[in-house]
Amino acid sequence: AQKITQTQPGMFVQEKEAVTLDCTYDTSDPSYGLFWYKQPSSGEMIFLIYQGSYDQQNATEGRYSLNFQKARKSANLVISASQLGDSAMYLCAMREPSYNQGGKLIFGQGTELSVKP
Amino acid sequence: NAGVMQNPRHLVRRRGQEARLRCSPMKGHSHVYWYRQLPEEGLKFMVYLQKENIIDESGMPKERFSAEFPKEGPSILRIQQVVRGDSAAYFCASSPWDSRSGNTIYFGEGSWLTVV
């Protein structure tokens, strides 16, 4: 069965420093997609970054980059130059194209990031 | 373009009442997913619907919960006889066509149900 694991329930980082949030996944399908979302205290889901399993390069979006290590089945999120506004819950998710399941997302438990001034 | 619209944003129900949560997908999207997020947890898949069809309801509780996506109008997640454990955020997401890969899934802002 598909599975997403985020082993860090909470993380602290100093403002302006970089931080890596861990995510590992398990799937037997060669075609899949990996997502990271930010969920601030207001609750909405904010899409950050996407990586397809066949993408040759690691995805980047501004200060966000995804360290995709396919053989290790890991998709860690790196946030560079942390800002106070980065304090939030971060959710890793995988989309697997199961033909009877329509490509739903499977989420990890999340990592609560706190940025210290 | 309007995104995925959910309403109400906040809903308070007494134990035993019914809760109805609505989701209007993005324009042109005919696939809807419902997720539930309990406090301090990640999102859990509940149900996947296409117009007039339930495709995957493997995450739906067996009793009191139902979902529909009619030919016209929004998708509805219905919870009958609510209990305190139903208190959660309910997120809807939509996707175009039968897209099983790619960055093609869009979330609404969520509906927060509180059962008192």
Side-chain angles (χ1 to χ4, degrees):
Chain A
Q2 313 93 324
K3 190 175 179 182
I4 290 278
T5 303
Q6 294 180 254
T7 57
Q8 306 153 314
M11 289 277 288
F12 289 92
V13 65
Q14 205 68 37
E15 193 179 7
K16 299 181 185 177
E17 291 185 350
V19 63
T20 297
L21 306 182
D22 295 342
C23 175
T24 58
Y25 60 91
D26 189 20
T27 179
S28 57
D29 199 303
S31 178
Y32 52 88
L34 297 156
F35 298 73
W36 278 93
Y37 291 88
K38 174 183 178 181
Q39 191 176 34
S41 57
S42 52
E44 71 268 29
M45 294 280 288
I46 301 171
F47 166 76
L48 294 178
I49 198 166
Y50 169 81
Q51 179 88 41
S53 60
Y54 293 119
D55 293 344
Q56 294 297 314
Q57 293 186 319
N58 287 346
T60 59
E61 292 284 352
R63 294 186 300 111
Y64 303 107
S65 60
L66 199 151
N67 184 2
F68 182 43
Q69 298 188 41
K70 198 169 182 177
R72 299 176 66 177
K73 293 188 176 178
S74 74
N76 298 339
L77 177 71
V78 180
I79 306 174
S80 62
S82 298
Q83 302 172 357
L84 295 178
D86 293 334
S87 294
M89 174 73 84
Y90 287 81
L91 295 164
C92 180
M94 177 174 67
R95 191 177 200 189
E96 184 175 283
S98 301
Y99 285 92
N100 63 345
Q101 294 180 349
K104 66 190 180 191
L105 293 185
I106 306 297
F107 283 86
Q109 290 292 93
T111 295
E112 186 74 42
L113 177 67
S114 297
V115 180
K116 296 181 176 180
Chain B
N1 287 332
V4 179
M5 304 299 293
Q6 289 189 246
N7 67 83
R9 291 295 311 282
H10 298 277
L11 181 65
V12 179
R13 284 287 178 264
R14 295 186 183 279
R15 282 179 293 173
Q17 290 185 320
E18 178 180 289
R20 285 190 178 223
L21 308 176
R22 288 176 291 278
C23 170
S24 296
M26 285 184 72
K27 186 176 181 181
H29 288 193
S30 57
H31 300 256
V32 165
Y33 308 79
W34 283 95
Y35 292 82
R36 176 167 67 172
Q37 185 177 33
L38 295 169
E40 310 300 325
E41 293 188 12
L43 276 70
K44 302 290 187 190
F45 168 78
M46 299 182 75
V47 63
Y48 163 51
L49 310 104
Q50 297 174 18
K51 289 277 187 182
E52 301 184 281
N53 278 308
I54 296 174
I55 304 302
D56 178 2
E57 55 181 348
S58 58
M60 285 281 270
K62 294 288 183 262
E63 297 176 347
R64 303 187 297 107
F65 284 72
S66 63
E68 62 176 9
F69 189 16
K71 187 176 181 181
E72 301 292 336
S75 175
I76 306 285
L77 180 67
R78 181 183 179 205
I79 311 171
Q80 295 178 290
Q81 298 175 320
V82 295
V83 300
R84 287 218 172 110
D86 298 333
S87 295
Y90 293 82
F91 286 91
C92 171
S94 75
S95 185
W97 63 90
D98 191 9
S99 175
R100 300 187 180 98
S101 63
N103 181 19
T104 55
I105 189 163
Y106 301 86
F107 279 86
E109 293 186 322
S111 290
W112 270 257
L113 172 65
T114 302
V115 180
V116 298

